[in-house]
Amino acid sequence: MLQRKGQLFPAIYAAAYRLCRLPVWRRRDAVDPSPVLDCLEDVTMQVAFFCGEEINASLERLLTAARVVAETARTIQASSRPGFGGNVDERLRSDDEAGRRRLDHAITAFVEAARSDLRIDGTWLPVHPRS
């Protein structure tokens, strides 16, 4: 079970990280968050089976925040057009940024709970690969 968690916890982190940094627009085209969200949900359901209350609570918060980010992106896409350089319309940017901050905090909380569950010592600092 420890080996399985050691594989799935990083997969959750990676999918959540990708969703948190997924652009709403790529040039003038809408970017569908559904595939990344689906991947995150699938891996999360696998982990929830193996884990106890603390991890599952952090997973629930993570999924809730991820769903908000995806829904906000869809709302932005339906109600606006991309700004210069594919930026989110100024009127909707604060909602997008707030959702992403919430997801980022949920990611950190999950990683800390997962590392504790795996008995990994030391301080965790996120790595920010190139987009």
Side-chain angles (χ1 to χ4, degrees):
M1 182 165 39
L2 185 62
Q3 182 179 4
R4 187 75 174 132
K5 286 180 185 180
Q7 294 168 340
L8 293 172
F9 287 172
I12 289 171
Y13 167 66
Y17 180 88
R18 279 193 307 275
L19 182 63
C20 193
R21 275 121 186 110
L22 191 70
V24 173
W25 308 104
R26 188 165 285 122
R27 295 179 198 83
R28 308 284 304 156
D29 299 324
V31 177
D32 183 7
S34 299
V36 179
L37 181 60
D38 290 347
C39 174
L40 177 61
E41 288 176 336
D42 289 347
V43 178
T44 298
M45 292 304 110
Q46 292 178 52
V47 167
F49 181 82
F50 294 108
C51 293
E53 189 175 340
E54 181 183 1
I55 294 291
N56 287 355
S58 72
L59 289 171
E60 187 63 37
R61 288 187 297 274
L62 182 71
L63 281 178
T64 298
R67 290 174 181 137
V68 168
V69 166
E71 189 55 38
T72 300
R74 291 183 193 111
T75 298
I76 290 168
Q77 293 163 351
S79 62
S80 70
R81 295 166 32 140
F84 180 73
N87 288 323
V88 172
D89 185 302
E90 187 70 35
R91 298 169 294 138
L92 304 167
R93 193 172 300 157
S94 64
D95 290 341
D96 182 52
E97 290 172 353
R100 290 172 191 271
R101 269 192 311 276
R102 182 176 172 205
L103 178 55
D104 192 52
H105 292 304
I107 291 168
T108 298
F110 164 72
V111 169
E112 289 172 354
R115 286 172 56 90
S116 175
D117 187 75
L118 294 172
R119 293 177 174 75
I120 298 173
D121 293 329
T123 303
W124 174 75
L125 292 174
V127 174
H128 299 287
R130 292 187 314 180
S131 301

